[in-house]
């Protein structure tokens, strides 16, 4: 019993597997950058704009 390997399909399969791994790594890096940006923005407390209260106190 001889095992015949079709190298063409093995090459295509390995290429698709490599493309999938690269795509997942790039997507993970992009998501990590977005997460860090959102985390930094959530830690910064926005300034309160109480214009209506300032006008009432200081006419």
């Amino acid at each position: 019993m001889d095992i015949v390997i079709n190298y063409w399909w093995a090459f295509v399969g390995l290429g698709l597997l490599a493309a999938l791994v690269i795509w997942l790594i790039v997507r993970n890096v992009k998501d990590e950058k977005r997460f860090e940006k959102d985390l930094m923005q959530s830690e910064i407390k926005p300034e309160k704009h109480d214009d209506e209260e300032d006008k009432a106190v200081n006419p």
Side-chain angles (χ1 to χ4, degrees), residues 3-42:
I3 298 175
V4 178
I5 298 174
N6 190 345
Y7 290 104
W8 170 251
W9 287 112
F11 178 71
V12 170
L14 287 175
L16 288 173
L17 184 63
L20 175 66
V21 169
I22 291 170
W23 179 74
L24 287 172
I25 290 171
V26 169
R27 184 174 172 196
N28 186 33
V29 169
K30 188 189 320 181
D31 288 345
E32 184 177 357
K33 286 181 182 179
R34 186 183 320 150
F35 172 75
E36 288 176 356
K37 181 182 174 186
D38 291 344
L39 185 64
M40 291 297 289
Q41 290 297 325
S42 69

Side-chain angles (χ1 to χ4, degrees), residues 40-51:
M40 291 297 289
Q41 290 297 325
S42 69
E43 291 177 358
I44 298 173
K45 298 191 181 210
E47 296 180 14
K48 291 185 178 180
H49 296 286
D50 295 329
D51 293 336

